[in-house]
Amino acid sequence: MERYLLVALGGALGSALRYGLGAWVQGVLGPAFPYSTLLVNLLGSFFIGLVLRLSLEGVLSGEGRLFLAVGVLGGFTTFSTFSYELLTLAQGGEWAKAFLYAGLSLLLGFLLVFLGYRLGGALVG
């Protein structure tokens, strides 16, 4: 039961962080492109790489990994929103934006999870 509580509390925190950051980014950059979802997913990629590496190195407990990776980052990242926004761009005939958004999300997400993982190793090594 304790593990479920850690995930639930982390998820609530991550969701609130996603909402706040997303609203701020869209307010600054506007709605012409899904900047907020892109940023959230990229930050989530970086931090999940960092958290998982720190967990593998024994710096972070199993409970800490659950709270942060499954809870906070699970609530923070927005893959379902990403998929919907991609569909919306495609349905609106904005294929260049759709491919740009998908490409940036995948390539930069992979790069950032790699960098987060490497940073975690550097912090303990």
Side-chain angles (χ1 to χ4, degrees):
M1 185 64 176
E2 178 183 320
R3 297 167 70 90
Y4 287 98
L5 187 57
L6 287 171
V7 171
L9 292 174
L13 178 60
S15 295
L17 289 170
R18 178 182 73 225
Y19 176 76
L21 180 61
W24 179 77
V25 168
Q26 287 304 115
V28 171
L29 299 176
F33 188 81
Y35 296 107
S36 61
T37 305
L38 178 62
L39 178 62
V40 163
N41 285 336
L42 294 176
L43 287 173
S45 295
F46 175 77
F47 283 112
I48 204 163
L50 177 63
V51 165
L52 293 179
R53 180 63 184 258
L54 293 176
S55 177
L56 286 172
E57 296 290 341
V59 174
L60 189 62
S61 69
E63 290 80 10
R65 181 185 57 77
L66 266 178
F67 176 74
L68 293 171
V70 179
V72 174
L73 294 171
F76 184 70
T77 57
T78 55
F79 193 77
S80 59
T81 304
F82 159 76
S83 298
Y84 175 73
E85 289 172 342
L86 193 57
L87 174 67
T88 301
L89 289 170
Q91 287 177 327
E94 298 186 83
W95 289 99
K97 281 186 179 179
F99 282 109
L100 176 66
Y101 184 42
L104 287 172
S105 295
L106 294 174
L107 294 175
L108 293 176
F110 173 73
L111 174 65
L112 287 167
V113 76
F114 174 78
L115 291 174
Y117 187 85
R118 292 293 301 255
L119 176 61
L123 290 173
V124 299

